[in-house]
Amino acid sequence: MNKQMIKCINENMDEIIEKWQAMMKNEKGERFFHFMPENLVEKTSREFAELMTTNIAENNIINAEKLTDFASKVVRFGWSIKFVNKAIDNFSNITFDLLEEKEIIHHDNVRLFHGTFANWISPLRETIIEAYSVEWERTVNLQKIALQELSASLIPVFEKISVMPLVGTIDTERAKLIMENLLEGVVKQRAEVVLLDITGVPVVDTMVAHHIIQAADAVRLVGSKCMLVGIRPEIAQTIVALGINLQDFTTTSTLQKGMKEALELTNRTIVEVK
Amino acid sequence: MEYRSFVDIYTEWDIVAARQLGRNEAKNSGFGTVDQARITTAISELARNIYLYAGKGRLEIERLSENGLHGIRIIASDEGPGIQDMRKVMEDGYSTSGGLGAGMPGVKRLMDGFKVDTEPGVGTTITATKWLR
Ligand SMILES: Nc1ncnc2c1ncn2[C@@H]1O[C@H](COP(=O)(O)OP(=O)(O)O)[C@@H](O)[C@H]1O
Ligand SMILES: [Mg+2]
């Protein structure tokens, strides 16, 4: 029975693909095919159709290898999961109609064919969802790592002066990392003055302020001085409104001004040479 | 016409999402950089309080248009433990979590209007408004 079905699909492949493409182009909000050059749409459609048909089991035994192959290839098309789901639906509906039209499916065996179709489509859908969620998890993890790498290195700029540029949102995890890197770096680099640059921090709320105050206290405990630099005017205003006390800090609006003060603190100055 | 959008708060990253939503709404309502920062910071405080003290809740942003005045309203609601002593909470430096205790009084100063509805054991709803000048 399945053999007959596969044979019919293969013989009418062009017609199926044409109908399927027309349906996919009409999907609202999912315009993957609109931005693709026509020959690429053609190529991808054929590839997809082939992947779909090779997964019709000849004797209802599902081939795990072919399934994985299907999922990993379809993920690489770069479609949204909604679009993929629709693509599978449409493909299965079109083939069902075709098989009815060719009288391979008729009212005596329609129940049987429903089973065959379920056996064909469900595993495809399941592996696709699985593949997408694995892919998303991987992406999220990589981004987490990327964020961690980007966050909080203490950079020795001059002898005795180090800078930590903070970029992005500070959550509890990053705050911990900032503290660790700061203390370790101060000792290793023998920094006497540390400049914490918050130019790249979008929001300074009481939690961020609290972490900064704690970091500065810790730096003080190991015998160095912590300056807070890069305070944008709007951030200065919100800090004041929040009633956060930064009296114990040297604060400057820019890193440049902070650096000048840090040099003065360590009895140095920048001179122009002729 | 009333325009509302919201973010449900479950994790720390939802706080960032709520902030982002608030900043966009504030920007689209015509607020300048300083007011955008005030609104975003207020949202951050309220959303974090939900996350810390109630576990979960919702942060809503409403665009306001009344008698020719335009503005933004933040509504932070939860079904957490509620607040026992409102007077203490509004004092600078009062915290039950070892925090700075500057969030609630801070939000009041950052915004134009500030209202707390709370009942121990039932939950807390905080409404804060900012008008466009
Ligand atoms: N949504 C809430 N539900 C219950 N208690 C809250 C809520 N928000 C704030 N509180 C209480 O109010 C106190 C003060 O809050 P806040 O001013 O933001 O300072 P902090 O968060 O640093 O403690 C908190 O420590 C907490 O006990
Ligand atoms: Mg708070």
Side-chain angles (χ1 to χ4, degrees):
Chain A
M1 187 176 79
N2 290 14
K3 265 190 193 147
Q4 206 185 354
M5 168 179 164
I6 295 169
K7 187 163 163 276
C8 177
I9 291 174
N10 282 333
E11 278 169 9
N12 296 283
M13 193 58 119
D14 288 342
E15 191 192 328
I16 296 177
I17 289 177
E18 200 181 309
K19 279 191 185 156
W20 179 79
Q21 274 181 9
M23 280 178 97
M24 292 316 287
K25 279 184 181 162
N26 275 333
E27 288 303 327
K28 284 196 191 67
E30 306 274 332
R31 310 179 66 84
F32 290 93
F33 281 176
H34 292 255
F35 303 117
M36 268 191 194
E38 198 51 44
N39 61 334
L40 203 61
V41 171
E42 198 55 42
K43 188 171 162 273
T44 319
S45 305
R46 261 188 202 277
E47 232 180 300
F48 178 76
E50 219 159 274
L51 287 167
M52 288 294 295
T53 34
T54 50
N55 272 285
I56 304 171
E58 293 210 350
N59 37 22
N60 281 341
I61 295 170
I62 292 152
N63 184 329
E65 215 168 289
K66 278 187 183 165
L67 267 181
T68 331
D69 186 51
F70 171 81
S72 68
K73 282 191 176 143
V74 170
V75 166
R76 254 174 274 150
F77 288 160
W79 298 343
S80 76
I81 191 158
K82 201 172 143 203
F83 191 79
V84 176
N85 236 331
K86 259 290 160 251
I88 296 175
D89 272 348
N90 288 342
F91 196 90
S92 120
N93 290 340
I94 292 167
T95 32
F96 199 93
D97 291 349
L98 175 89
L99 293 171
E100 263 185 332
E101 194 188 298
K102 302 280 176 196
E103 286 170 359
I104 291 172
I105 299 177
H106 41 80
H107 69 271
D108 290 335
N109 65 7
V110 64
R111 283 183 73 112
L112 226 62
F113 263 103
H114 273 303
T116 308
F117 266 72
N119 219 332
W120 172 34
I121 298 300
S122 305
L124 290 181
R125 217 192 287 285
E126 278 159 27
T127 36
I128 276 292
I129 292 171
E130 168 81 21
Y132 268 84
S133 63
V134 167
E135 187 65 21
W136 285 324
E137 245 166 65
R138 212 178 74 87
T139 311
V140 170
N141 276 332
L142 285 177
Q143 282 174 349
K144 245 188 209 161
I145 293 168
L147 194 67
Q148 259 166 25
E149 281 177 348
L150 161 122
S151 64
S153 353
L154 190 68
I155 306 161
V157 182
F158 292 117
E159 200 186 316
K160 300 178 196 169
I161 300 174
S162 297
V163 176
M164 183 178 276
L166 298 176
V167 178
T169 294
I170 297 174
D171 62 341
T172 320
E173 211 172 304
R174 273 195 79 198
K176 226 186 282 167
L177 202 75
I178 290 168
M179 180 74 101
E180 280 166 18
N181 291 355
L182 193 57
L183 287 181
E184 201 178 302
V186 165
V187 174
K188 211 191 273 167
Q189 294 166 14
R190 298 169 195 277
E192 285 177 18
V193 184
V194 179
L195 295 97
L196 268 185
D197 182 11
I198 59 164
T199 312
V201 180
V203 177
V204 180
D205 57 9
T206 58
M207 187 205 71
V208 171
H210 195 195
H211 284 303
I212 289 172
I213 292 169
Q214 283 177 329
D217 283 344
V219 168
R220 206 170 297 143
L221 279 178
V222 294
S224 306
K225 190 178 161 62
C226 190
M227 287 169 58
L228 192 60
V229 307
I231 304 177
R232 301 189 303 275
E234 69 270 22
I235 299 296
Q237 295 212 30
T238 52
I239 289 178
V240 171
L242 287 171
I244 293 164
N245 182 6
L246 296 178
Q247 303 275 289
D248 297 343
F249 271 89
T250 306
T251 54
T252 64
S253 55
T254 64
L255 175 58
Q256 214 172 358
K257 284 183 189 153
M259 190 56 78
K260 202 163 157 264
E261 286 200 29
L263 284 167
E264 274 164 22
L265 274 169
T266 50
N267 305 316
R268 285 169 298 176
T269 175
I270 295 176
V271 288
E272 268 180 50
V273 289
K274 283 168 198 106
Chain B
M1 199 191 73
E2 186 176 88
Y3 178 86
R4 268 194 192 195
S5 41
F6 67 88
V7 173
D8 282 325
I9 309 292
Y10 289 99
T11 73
E12 233 185 319
W13 288 102
D14 297 325
I15 302 170
V16 181
R19 245 156 47 181
Q20 199 63 41
L21 174 72
R23 189 183 290 281
N24 285 339
E25 290 296 326
K27 203 187 274 174
N28 293 338
S29 302
F31 284 103
T33 345
V34 176
D35 276 341
Q36 277 176 40
R38 288 191 176 115
I39 292 165
T40 318
T41 309
I43 291 173
S44 193
E45 295 297 339
L46 296 178
R48 187 169 301 280
N49 281 355
I50 291 178
Y51 170 71
L52 283 178
Y53 308 116
K56 61 180 196 292
R58 173 172 287 190
L59 200 126
E60 275 172 281
I61 314 267
E62 195 179 335
R63 281 209 219 161
L64 303 173
S65 216
E66 278 172 27
N67 315 322
L69 275 177
H70 300 283
I72 261 188
R73 177 177 290 145
I74 310 168
I75 305 153
S77 54
D78 65 64
E79 294 173 6
I83 295 169
Q84 292 281 354
D85 191 341
M86 265 316 295
R87 191 194 297 235
K88 267 194 185 147
V89 165
M90 294 315 290
E91 280 170 16
D92 275 304
Y94 174 81
S95 174
T96 55
S97 67
L100 282 183
M104 295 282 273
V107 171
K108 191 174 176 192
R109 284 189 292 258
L110 284 168
M111 305 292 283
D112 296 329
F114 181 80
K115 192 171 131 252
V116 183
D117 281 309
T118 186
E119 200 182 320
V122 177
T124 306
T125 298
I126 297 168
T127 317
T129 13
K130 185 103 201 151
W131 295 105
L132 196 58
R133 261 174 284 267

